[in-house]
Amino acid sequence: MSKTMEINLTGLPWPINLLHCSRQIDAMQPREKLAIALSDKYIKENLIQFLHALPGLSFNVSSAGRGYTINVEKAEV
């Protein structure tokens, strides 16, 4: 069974939110999942570009109300 971690980046300024996100992703083990909550559309777009640059990750983005969730999963090695 895979473990799911959650971080809330709502209200954190750029690039502090990127640093928090990067730290959590670095700590992930294979098959672990990370749910990233945020509300800023521009930060979401920047995080998507960042995630595209990282090998071994898959992710999807969903929106709910005024916020977004990016669900990230680290691939099996």
Side-chain angles (χ1 to χ4, degrees):
M1 179 150 88
S2 63
K3 179 180 170 185
T4 301
M5 299 179 286
E6 296 179 9
I7 57 172
N8 187 343
L9 302 180
T10 303
L12 290 177
W14 186 264
I16 302 300
N17 47 28
L18 176 64
L19 295 173
H20 282 290
C21 182
S22 178
R23 193 174 305 147
Q24 286 288 87
I25 289 171
D26 287 344
M28 290 173 72
Q29 298 299 313
R31 300 188 66 201
E32 282 187 333
K33 298 177 183 178
L34 175 64
I36 305 166
L38 60 149
S39 60
D40 188 293
K41 167 176 116 172
Y42 300 106
I43 291 174
K44 173 189 67 113
E45 296 302 323
N46 286 323
L47 286 177
I48 288 171
Q49 289 181 1
F50 170 71
L51 293 170
H52 274 299
L54 297 175
L57 293 180
S58 61
F59 66 93
N60 63 56
V61 182
S62 60
S63 61
R66 294 184 174 171
Y68 306 95
T69 301
I70 302 175
N71 294 296
V72 180
E73 184 171 358
K74 193 164 196 175
E76 188 93 32
V77 181

